[in-house]
Amino acid sequence: MDLVWKIAFSQIKGLKIEQARQLIARLGSEEAFFTASENALKALCCMRNDVFEASSRCKLLENARREAEFIIRKGVVPIYFTDGDYPWRLAECADAPLMLYAVGQRGISWNKVISIVGTRNATAYGAGFVKKLVQELASMVDGLVVVSGLAYGIDIIAHRAALEAGVPTVAVLAHGLNTIYPSAHRSTAVEIAKGGGMLVSEYMSDAVVHKGNFLTRNRIVAGLCDCTLVAESAEKGGALVTAHLANCYNREVFALPGRVSDKYSVGCNRLISSNEAVLVNSAEDILQCMNWSERQAGCSQPQLPLAVMTPEQENVAEYLSAMPDGASLNQICASLGMPVHAVSAIMFDMECNGVVTALPGSRYALL
C-alpha cells in the first residue's frame, strides 16, 4: 500500500519536490495526506486547494492502485524522489517529477552524464559527428552515460552509438511504459533495457502520446545530465528548448557549429553566437570544459540482471521451447488463448529481459 500512497501523492498537479517535502514534514507521511479530513488538511496547510476534497483524493488513489498493479505485473521500477537512487542531479531541479517509472538497469552509476539532442532531420554531418563523439568519449572516460529522447534523428543516433560503444544509455519517454513511440525504435528500446541502460518516464502507463508531453519531458533530459550537446537544430525546435532548460539548471551546454547556409545548423550557430553554448569540435573539448578525467583501462559496463518471469511469460516460454524456428504473434495468441494486446505486452517484456528475440514477420524465438 505504501507504493499506492506514493504514486497518488506524486500525481498531485503542480506539486514540486520542495513543496512535497514540506507537506510530508507537516503531515508525517503520504498516507496521512489521503486519510486526513478535508478540514484538517486546510487547517494544517493554511490554504485552500481542490485536491484537498475527498473526491479528488479518492480519484488519485483509484488511479494509483491501477498503476501499482501495472508496475507489479510488468516489472516496472518506480523511483520516488525520496529514494536513494533517484538521480541526484535531477533532484536539484525545482520542477523535477516526484516519481519516475523505469525499465532496465536501476543501479546506473550517474557519474559522467551527457545528453545529446538535436533535429529529427539529422544530416550526414550531424550523424557522423555524434557517432564519432560517443565512441571517443566511451574510450576516454569512465562511467559515461548518454541520455536522449528516443526520437527520430539525432536522438536515436545517440542511443545507438552508445549501445555500439558499450556504454549505458537512458531514453526519456514522453508517454507511459505500456508502449514505445515511435514504434520503429522498439528494438532499440529493448537493447537499451537489456544493455545496462534504462527507459524512463514520469507518465503513468495510461498516459497517451501527446505533443505537449515531448516538450515537458525535455526538462528531464536536461536535468539528468552534467552537460547537454545540441548536435543539429533548425531555427526552432525541441533541442533548443532542452538547451535553454539546461542553462536554467546551470548545466554546461555544447553545440556543434555548421555552415551559415545549413538549415539544421542555424539553431546551433545561434546558441554559440549568443554565448548560450560552447562550441565543440571533438570529445577533447568536452573533457577539458567538464574537467572529466581520462577513463581507466579495464572498466566494464553494468549489465541488466535477469528478471523473474510471470506465469504468463512462463507459458509463452514453454510454448516457444517447442518451436525451434520461432512462432508468430498470432500463433502464440491462438495456442495460448490470449488476446493480441496482452501477448504483445508480454513479448515486449520478455524482449527487455533477454528471454526472447524478435524475428522478421512479427515472429519470436527463445534466446
Side-chain angles (χ1 to χ4, degrees), residues 7 10 24 29 49 56 68 78 84 92 126 145 154 170 196 205 212 237 254 257 276 289 293 295 320 366:
I7 293 173
S10 72
I24 292 172
S29 68
N49 194 311
S56 297
E92 293 176 342
V145 178
I154 293 298
V170 176
S205 60
F254 298 97
E276 295 176 82
C289 186
S293 58
R295 176 187 179 120
L320 290 177
L366 281 179

Side-chain angles (χ1 to χ4, degrees), residues 249-269:
Y249 297 149
N250 293 316
R251 312 294 165 83
E252 199 65 69
V253 177
F254 298 97
L256 172 65
R259 294 178 300 189
V260 295
S261 58
D262 289 350
K263 176 181 178 180
Y264 295 111
S265 290
V266 172
C268 291
N269 291 339

